[in-house]
Structure formats: C-alpha cells, structure tokens
C-alpha cells in the first residue's frame, strides 16, 4: 500500500462508507460473503477481475458442516440437487490387496442432517451461490479489478477499474479479500502468506470411464508408485482422478490424456479404466500456506487469500465458506454495538477463531499429504499395508466421518471463548415432533436453547431475563451428555450455530456485550 497515491490524498467529508461491505473475489468464499452480507442486512458490492464464472470443476467435495452453513443461508437443497453423496470409500494398499470399505452413509455421524460427503463440482457450487446472490438483489461485477486500497479511520477506500474504463473510487465500511492465493488485497495491506513447498506434484483430471465400478463410491489406492484417488462426480460415469506423480525434472507439463490416465490407473489399481472424454486437467506442485494475519484494520482475508491447502481431504473450499459465514454476522453485529471496545473484541475474534482453525487444518492435511507422498517407496509400501487395516476399525471410521465432515471443529481461544462452554458447535439432533434443532433457531440472530427438566413447564419466553432473544425450549426427551454437558441446561447460541456460553440459567450467563440490540422473543 502506497500512502502517497494522489486519489487518497484529496480531502473528503467524514463518513463511514457508501456501502457496508466490498467483497473482492467471486469464488465460493466471496459469493458466500456477499450472500451473507445481504442476509444480515448489510449493503454489499462484489467484484472479480475475471469476465465471468469459471466453468471448471476444481474443488469437488462439500462436507457436512459446510452443508449446515448452506442450509442456514437457504441453499442446501440446491447444492444437494447439483451433487451426489459418497456412499462409501474403498481404501486399497495396491492393485492386488484387499480393500477396507468405509460405509460413509452407515457411519454413526450423530447430530447432523448431512451425514455424508457431497461430491459437487466447484462450478456448480458457484452457480448456486451466484443465483442465490441475484435472488437477494445482489450481482457480481465481473471484469472489475481492484487497483489500490487505503484503510481510513472509519472506512476503506478502494480504487477499482471495470473493463478498462475509468477508475472508480469505492468507499466501504469493510473490505473482504476473497481473491485467492495470489491475493492483491493481501499484498495491498501488507499482509504475508508464506508458502511451503511440499515437494510433491499432483495431477487432477475429470474423465469418463467404462470400468464397471460402483458409481457413487470413492476409491483410494496407496500404491508404492504413488497415491491415486478415484472420486465420483455427479455426471454418470464421470470421475475425478487425483494422483501424486513424480515431479518433472523441468518446468514442462505432463500430457494428461486418456492414454496417460489409463496407464497410471492400471499400474496403481489394476483397473482397465477405459478413459475417454477427458474434460478438465490440472497439474501443480503442491504447497501449503497461512497468512500472518487475517485482519488489517477494516480489511479482512478469507478463503485461499488467507490459507492454502492440499487437495487431499477436500478442505480448502469448505474452510473458505466457513470463514465467510463466521465473519459476516460479526460485521453486521458490530454496527449495533455501543461500545468501541466490544466492537474491537468481536472483530478480533474472527482472526482468533478462523486462523487457529485454518492453521490446524493446513498443518494436519500437510502431515497426511507428506506421509502419502514421501519419496521413500518403502514407507509408501508400508502405508499401503497398514492403512486399510486401520480403516477397517469402526471407531476409526466414525472418527473419519466427523473429522473430515468438520463437525467437531471448536473455537477454544479468542475474545469470545471466555464464557463456560463457549466455542463448540451446537449439536443438531432430531426433534421428537419432527425436524431438527437448527430449524427452530433464529435464522440470522442469537438464540437461547433451554433443555427442560422432567415435567417442567415451559418458562415465560417473554420475561426480561431472556433479553428479548428468541428462546427454544426442549423437552427432557432430548437430554443427553452430548447436548447438555455438566448439567448446564441453558445455552446462548451465536448466529453461526456455535455456543457462546452455557449455564444453569440465563442469569448465570447474562447478556454478552457483543450480542447487539435485542430482537423480539419467540417460542418454539
């Protein structure tokens, strides 16, 4: 950022921005951010230097927690219609080794309405989100590039150029950089993302096959020659191939065509794949990275601008969507706070929560990827023998489902994690009368959840003790150690479905300073 640039040296009247939020980047993270801004009552513009939405499949897997976010946004049904759930994962140690079958649909997922991994191409995800944005009254400004940023005391000034036309100065209260691994937003505000070369090259390909294998199951081959993943796609007989290959001695790209894929798949799986109609391919040297900060004043980073992941595990897109979901309710809430100190704590909580989450995700996936792509074939051979045996254990399979599904992520540090029980995702059990707990919560605001004692009458939901926040009263049939740990039967729930605090009564919790203005009470 260059403070001497003349567009920012002209005097201007004091104001907090022409719009509330400027989103830079219209991938899944940016589209989520723009949709969430509008859902929470904020004005928004979203720009992208590309001329239009990508037609490439790119990221493929959407996990359970992200589908819960999409449900909260109102687009889960459209996502499910555009994808196909994995029924199972078959892990092989090589072409002639017996597979361990993980029945994903049969795992004890517990408290989610989405007990599966959903295969949906990124271009389909972006289509759903852009159409939803349009239905909310927003629109992506394609062909519009960000040139410069100046973060003032009470607003952000951004210079943007559309299709080579005259430069426009945009004033916004907040700017969210969702512009990918080479983020201009990040560079402009002086934040850094250091990439670590993983020393491994991967290829991706979307290809049709004639092999008679089950269409809605995934296949993993831990062969001494390298990792091979065969992942189902929604289009019948089309598969995503993910393979670790030897890093070329030069910068030249491999020719990833049907013949290349057939030979690679035959060597590692023994399958005569019959590759044809190769639709999209990519080759890249794998790297991992995490930005030093996710916030600089009124500018925030989200998605790949903040963290870079391995494709193994399919966590990147999911983490970015959850970044945006975490951030935008906080930006909306800040405008309703009277205390500047409380506002700063709430804004700081974004980085504290999401950077810790991203660091754990990046490091964990990096360790797994390093083991799977080690140069020592003896280690890869040992992994091929051991991994299917380990995956055969029911407890390991149950852990795999929830961990990969991102259901057990918790915010254990930061300004909002000071109250008892804070930071854990609220469980979403089925209710005796039908539906699930999330269906009863405030759609975009705070909620109380009260687990009733046996025979207890419903409390007065309009009483001042609830501070005007909607109350969900649950009968004793739903009591369990998972939903009511330590006997604390009252929970204050954040707009993103994470617990703000637990206690024996609303008085023991109080009204948090960052909960904004009261909303009308409701009963369920």
């Amino acid at each position: 950022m260059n403070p001497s640039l003349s567009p920012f040296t002209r005097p201007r009247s004091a104001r907090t921005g022409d719009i509330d939020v400027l989103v830079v980047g219209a991938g899944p993270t940016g589209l989520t951010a723009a949709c969430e801004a509008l859902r929470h009552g904020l004005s928004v513009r979203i720009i992208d230097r590309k001329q239009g939405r990508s037609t490439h499949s790119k990221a493929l897997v959407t996990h359970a927690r992200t589908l819960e976010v999409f449900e909260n946004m109102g687009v889960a049904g459209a996502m499910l219609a555009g994808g196909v759930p994995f029924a199972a994962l078959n892990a092989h140690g090589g072409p002639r080794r017996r597979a361990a079958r993980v029945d994903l649909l049969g795992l004890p997922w517990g408290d989610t309405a989405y007990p599966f991994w959903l295969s949906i191409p990124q271009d389909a995800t972006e289509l759903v989100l852009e159409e939803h944005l349009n239905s909310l009254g927003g629109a992506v400004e394609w062909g519009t590039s960000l040139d410069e940023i100046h973060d003032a005391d009470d607003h952000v000034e951004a210079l943007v150029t559309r299709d080579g036309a005259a430069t426009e100065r945009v004033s916004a209260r907040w700017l969210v950089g969702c512009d990918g691994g080479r983020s201009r937003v990040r560079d402009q505000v002086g934040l850094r993302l250091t990439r670590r070369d993983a020393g491994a090259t991967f290829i991706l390909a979307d290809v049709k096959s004639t092999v008679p294998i089950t269409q809605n199951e995934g296949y993993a081959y831990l062969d001494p020659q390298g990792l091979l993943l065969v992942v189902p796609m929604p289009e019948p007989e089309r598969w995503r191939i993910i393979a670790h290959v030897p890093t070329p001695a030069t910068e030249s790209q491999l020719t990833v065509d049907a013949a290349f894929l057939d030979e690679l798949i035959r060597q590692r799986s023994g399958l005569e794949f019959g590759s044809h109609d190769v639709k999209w391919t990519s080759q890249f040297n794998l790297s991992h990275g995490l930005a030093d900060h996710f916030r600089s004043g009124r500018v925030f980073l989200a998605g790949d601008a903040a963290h870079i992941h391995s494709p193994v595990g399919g966590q990147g897109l999911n983490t970015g969507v959850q970044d945006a979901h975490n951030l935008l309710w906080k930006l909306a809430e800040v405008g309703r706070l009277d205390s500047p100190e409380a506002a700063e704590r709430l804004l700081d909580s974004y980085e504290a929560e999401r950077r810790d989450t991203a660091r754990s995700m990046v490091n964990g996936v990096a360790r797994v990827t390093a083991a799977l792509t080690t140069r020592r074939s003896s280690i890869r051979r040992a992994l091929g023998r051991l991994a299917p045996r380990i995956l055969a254990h029911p407890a390991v399979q149950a852990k795999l489902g929830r961990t990969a599904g991102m259901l057990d992520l918790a915010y254990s540090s930061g300004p909002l994690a000071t109250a008892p029980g804070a930071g854990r995702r609220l469980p979403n059990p089925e209710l005796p009368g039908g539906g699930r707990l999330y269906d009863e919560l405030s759609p975009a605001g705070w909620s109380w959840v009260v687990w009733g004692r046996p025979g207890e009458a419903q409390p007065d939901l309009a009483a001042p003790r609830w501070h005007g926040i909607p109350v969900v009263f649950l009968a004793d049939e739903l009591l369990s150690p998972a939903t009511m740990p330590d006997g604390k039967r009252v929970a204050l729930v954040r707009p993103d479905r994470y617990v703000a605090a637990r206690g024996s009564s609303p008085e023991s919790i109080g009204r948090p300073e960052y909960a904004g203005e009261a909303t009308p009470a409701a009963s369920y």
Side-chain angles (χ1 to χ4, degrees):
M1 182 168 58
N2 186 349
S4 67
L5 292 170
S6 59
F8 299 135
T9 60
R10 295 193 297 267
R12 56 179 289 117
S13 59
R15 61 184 183 182
T16 57
D18 300 325
I19 57 170
D20 292 316
V21 183
L22 174 63
V23 177
V24 181
T29 302
L31 289 167
T32 299
C35 290
E36 285 293 87
L38 292 171
R39 189 169 72 92
H40 286 288
L42 300 174
S43 57
V44 66
R45 288 178 67 177
I46 175 171
I47 65 172
D48 196 297
R49 61 182 178 81
K50 300 191 300 294
Q51 293 301 312
R53 198 167 15 85
S54 172
T55 58
H56 298 313
S57 57
K58 298 181 183 176
L60 191 61
V61 179
T62 300
H63 289 300
R65 176 56 195 155
T66 307
L67 286 168
E68 291 180 346
V69 170
F70 287 149
E71 179 186 81
N72 193 208
M73 295 171 60
V75 297
M79 295 293 178
L80 294 176
V84 58
F86 280 41
L89 175 67
N90 301 278
H92 300 254
R96 289 168 293 280
R97 294 188 182 276
R98 185 176 178 180
R101 187 174 187 274
V102 181
D103 180 5
L104 294 171
L105 299 183
L107 294 180
W109 289 76
D111 58 3
T112 182
Y114 306 101
F116 46 78
W117 302 345
L118 183 72
S119 174
I120 175 171
Q122 182 172 323
D123 57 338
T125 296
E126 292 178 1
L127 174 61
V128 169
L129 290 173
E130 187 175 5
E131 289 181 343
H132 185 59
L133 176 67
N134 296 340
S135 74
L136 295 173
V140 178
E141 299 176 37
W142 295 109
T144 304
S145 62
L146 173 76
D147 300 327
E148 298 160 11
I149 299 172
H150 175 70
D151 190 354
D153 289 338
D154 64 351
H155 64 279
V156 179
E157 294 277 359
L159 296 183
V160 304
T161 304
R162 183 165 188 168
D163 290 332
T167 297
E168 176 188 2
R169 183 172 61 174
V170 179
S171 176
R173 292 177 61 214
W174 314 104
L175 188 148
V176 185
C178 309
D179 51 341
R182 296 179 176 85
S183 170
R184 181 160 180 80
V185 171
R186 188 181 64 228
D187 292 343
Q188 281 282 301
V189 297
L191 298 179
R192 299 183 305 279
L193 186 148
T194 303
R195 291 174 180 260
R196 291 175 291 159
D197 186 354
T201 299
F202 273 81
I203 60 162
L204 308 178
D206 295 346
V207 57
K208 282 200 167 185
S209 168
T210 59
V211 70
I213 54 178
T214 306
Q215 291 289 303
N216 63 344
E217 298 189 4
Y219 302 83
Y221 296 90
L222 305 175
D223 189 74
Q225 298 180 71
L227 173 68
L228 168 66
L229 300 175
V230 181
V231 180
M233 298 185 72
E235 183 183 351
E237 298 182 352
R238 186 171 294 282
W239 302 85
R240 161 68 57 81
I241 305 301
I242 305 172
H244 169 223
V245 296
T247 300
T250 67
E251 295 296 323
S252 62
Q253 295 284 302
L254 297 169
T255 302
V256 182
D257 55 14
F260 175 90
L261 293 169
D262 274 348
E263 181 61 21
L264 183 148
I265 295 169
R266 182 185 301 111
Q267 290 178 359
R268 300 187 188 183
S269 71
L271 296 174
E272 297 295 335
F273 205 66
S275 300
H276 61 282
D277 191 13
V278 181
K279 197 170 184 179
W280 174 73
T281 67
S282 178
Q283 175 185 324
F284 57 94
N285 293 329
L286 187 64
S287 62
H288 311 282
L290 183 70
D292 54 348
H293 291 287
F294 284 16
R295 179 192 178 195
S296 174
R298 289 180 171 268
V299 178
F300 299 83
L301 302 180
D304 286 354
H307 42 78
I308 301 295
H309 299 247
S310 159
V312 177
Q315 305 292 330
L317 180 152
N318 292 268
T319 305
V321 167
Q322 292 175 43
D323 287 344
H325 189 241
N326 179 286
L327 175 61
L328 266 296
W329 75 262
K330 295 174 179 177
L331 296 184
E333 205 71 68
V334 159
R336 296 189 281 268
L337 294 176
D338 294 327
S339 166
E341 294 77 18
E344 280 301 304
R345 282 192 288 273
L346 184 59
L347 294 175
D348 285 343
S349 74
Y350 169 68
E351 177 174 319
E353 294 179 349
R354 295 307 301 169
R355 191 172 185 277
D356 274 359
T357 297
R359 181 174 57 236
S360 297
M361 198 70 64
V362 169
N363 290 342
V365 174
R367 286 193 294 270
V368 172
T369 304
L372 294 173
T373 61
T374 177
R375 296 177 184 274
R376 298 177 62 181
S377 61
S378 59
I379 295 178
R380 292 203 297 265
R381 187 174 293 107
L383 283 172
R385 289 195 301 268
L386 293 174
R389 298 178 189 175
I390 294 171
L391 280 174
H393 292 279
V396 174
Q397 294 188 7
K399 182 69 173 175
L400 172 67
R402 287 190 64 87
T403 300
M406 308 172 85
L407 294 171
D408 293 330
L409 292 178
Y411 304 136
S412 57
S413 62
L416 308 190
T418 57
R424 294 200 64 82
R425 166 186 165 272
L426 181 74
N428 188 25
E430 292 183 278
L431 302 179
R436 288 182 177 269
L437 177 54
Y438 285 8
D439 301 334
E440 310 301 329
L441 301 177
S442 174
W446 295 73
S447 302
W448 293 102
V449 177
V450 181
W451 287 267
R453 295 189 180 97
E456 180 182 13
Q458 180 172 288
D460 179 3
L461 303 181
R465 66 197 300 232
W466 304 111
H467 305 287
I469 296 173
V471 182
V472 179
F473 181 75
L474 301 176
D476 57 278
E477 293 95 326
L478 290 171
L479 295 180
S480 73
T483 56
M484 196 184 71
D486 304 322
K488 292 181 171 60
R489 66 189 194 94
V490 178
L492 181 61
V493 183
R494 301 170 7 169
D496 59 357
R497 308 316 197 217
Y498 280 81
V499 174
R502 285 188 182 273
S504 57
S505 66
E507 289 80 8
S508 69
I509 295 174
R511 181 182 180 82
E513 59 184 349
Y514 44 82
E517 296 295 325
T519 53
S523 61
Y524 301 94

